[in-house]
Amino acid sequence: MATISIPEYVPSASEDAEQLRKAFSGWGTNEKLIISILAHRSAAQRRQIRQAYADIFGEDLLKSLDKELTHDFEKVVLLWVLDSAERDAVLAYDSARKWGPGDRALIEIACARSSDELFAARRAYHARYKRSVEEDVAAHAKGDFRKLLVPLISAYRYEGPEVNQTLAKSEAKLLHEKIGDKSYADEEIIRILTTRSKAQLTATFNAYHNEFGNPINKDLKSDPKDHFLSALRAITKCITAPEKYFEKAIRLAINKVGTDEEAVTRVIATRAELDLKVIKDLYYKRNSVPLVRAIKKDTRGDYEDFLVALIGEESA
């Protein structure tokens, strides 16, 4: 569900492009004008503005923004202007190139998108970087993480609702055995998590809970400091309950000593037109504070203003 506030009268893409050009002209950049336009346009409208800007001024809007903006404000605006597939390609590229065991962008792209959306991101990666995301992940991730992430990002899961309950029970038993043996990077665990449909995996995790008494994520917490176990938990949560996953992701990003602006930017920019309203509701139930108020407390300046515009002010 989109949460972006679109004004009743929306100027044409050409008018918006002209106004953005004015924002870049003269002494200093008019950040407020940029926010008033871009933070209040839908994905289709932003695509049209970008095209109009290129047609009128012979330059990619992204290049103009890159020249004029800085720091976290620049990052969130650039991500926001990109189409969703391009945005995922950029996030995947940044994640793969500076990959670390605690990185979550690749897992989010692989597990919180539909099969077609993930495929579109991989195609956008080809077009933008002239190589595959699988190549870069394989080159930069190491050991067990490489074994997990390459098939995860390469997956094209079946999207239908059909579930094989017999298979769910047998694979729940297999997962329980491997987890009990602490064989967390076993090829069978990786096979199940990276190939089964989301509906099938949900059935498998439910069978696991019913048969063995614990949610699978509880059994994957034997060592809270183990980054690989943390990655497995992120995968299961992202597949079965993406809104809860993203609520926790943004809560942890805000509650860290020193806000994790990269995670805040990624979550808000990728979920604002999808399920941010649900994430906001979950955040309030969990923290008794509206998300927008928490964002205002932990961010500053134009970056704060842009995020607040995407999230929306408190409704009550």
Side-chain angles (χ1 to χ4, degrees), residues 142-196:
K142 306 299 179 189
D144 290 341
F145 282 98
R146 179 189 291 166
K147 285 168 55 181
L148 174 67
L149 291 173
V150 171
L152 191 71
I153 204 76
S154 309
Y156 191 79
R157 299 178 194 272
Y158 176 62
E159 291 280 341
E162 294 84 358
V163 166
N164 182 328
Q165 292 293 352
T166 303
L167 181 66
K169 289 178 181 177
S170 67
E171 291 194 334
K173 183 173 184 289
L174 182 57
L175 288 170
H176 187 259
E177 288 171 0
K178 299 299 181 183
I179 292 169
D181 292 339
K182 299 189 184 300
S183 301
Y184 304 120
D186 187 273
E187 62 183 22
E188 289 295 274
I189 289 183
I190 292 173
R191 174 187 64 79
I192 292 167
L193 292 182
T194 61
T195 65
R196 294 301 185 200

Side-chain angles (χ1 to χ4, degrees), residues 6-17:
I6 307 296
E8 287 186 16
Y9 167 71
V10 180
S12 69
S14 297
E15 290 174 304
D16 279 339

Side-chain angles (χ1 to χ4, degrees), residues 90-298:
V90 169
L91 289 168
Y93 176 82
D94 290 343
S95 177
R97 301 288 288 183
K98 61 181 182 182
W99 183 84
D103 186 273
R104 289 292 172 266
L106 289 168
I107 288 173
E108 292 167 12
I109 292 165
C111 299
R113 312 297 191 258
S114 70
S115 295
D116 284 339
E117 287 166 345
L118 175 56
F119 188 66
R122 289 164 58 199
R123 289 184 60 167
Y125 201 101
H126 288 186
R128 194 176 186 93
Y129 302 112
K130 310 308 177 192
R131 57 183 179 274
S132 73
V133 64
E134 297 92 330
E135 284 179 82
D136 282 345
V137 172
H140 294 280
K142 306 299 179 189
D144 290 341
F145 282 98
R146 179 189 291 166
K147 285 168 55 181
L148 174 67
L149 291 173
V150 171
L152 191 71
I153 204 76
S154 309
Y156 191 79
R157 299 178 194 272
Y158 176 62
E159 291 280 341
E162 294 84 358
V163 166
N164 182 328
Q165 292 293 352
T166 303
L167 181 66
K169 289 178 181 177
S170 67
E171 291 194 334
K173 183 173 184 289
L174 182 57
L175 288 170
H176 187 259
E177 288 171 0
K178 299 299 181 183
I179 292 169
D181 292 339
K182 299 189 184 300
S183 301
Y184 304 120
D186 187 273
E187 62 183 22
E188 289 295 274
I189 289 183
I190 292 173
R191 174 187 64 79
I192 292 167
L193 292 182
T194 61
T195 65
R196 294 301 185 200
S197 73
K198 292 178 181 179
Q200 185 65 41
L201 283 172
T202 299
T204 298
F205 300 151
N206 286 339
Y208 187 105
H209 193 177
N210 293 337
E211 187 69 24
F212 305 109
N214 279 337
I216 188 169
N217 268 12
K218 186 169 184 180
D219 286 348
L220 289 171
K221 270 188 181 170
S222 59
D223 181 356
K225 294 182 179 179
D226 186 308
H227 285 299
F228 191 78
L229 283 179
S230 179
L232 294 179
R233 293 196 304 274
I235 289 168
T236 63
K237 182 65 77 174
C238 224
I239 286 172
T240 59
E243 295 91 353
K244 289 183 179 179
Y245 167 89
F246 285 112
E247 183 282 322
K248 184 176 181 180
I250 203 161
R251 169 163 39 93
L252 294 178
I254 292 171
N255 290 348
K256 283 182 70 172
V257 178
T259 305
D260 183 351
E261 287 86 357
E262 190 172 300
V264 170
T265 295
R266 186 177 72 248
V267 172
I268 300 300
T270 59
R271 310 313 293 184
E273 292 179 292
L274 298 175
D275 52 8
L276 188 57
K277 185 181 186 306
V278 178
I279 294 167
K280 284 163 60 177
D281 291 344
L282 289 170
Y283 187 92
Y284 185 77
K285 288 175 185 174
R286 177 69 171 70
N287 305 281
S288 301
V289 174
L291 176 59
V292 70
R293 195 184 302 172
I295 290 291
K296 286 179 177 181
K297 182 180 176 183
D298 274 53

Side-chain angles (χ1 to χ4, degrees), residues 43 47 82-89 113 117 121:
R47 191 179 308 119
L82 290 167
D83 280 348
S84 58
E86 291 180 288
R87 184 188 304 139
D88 281 346
R113 312 297 191 258
E117 287 166 345

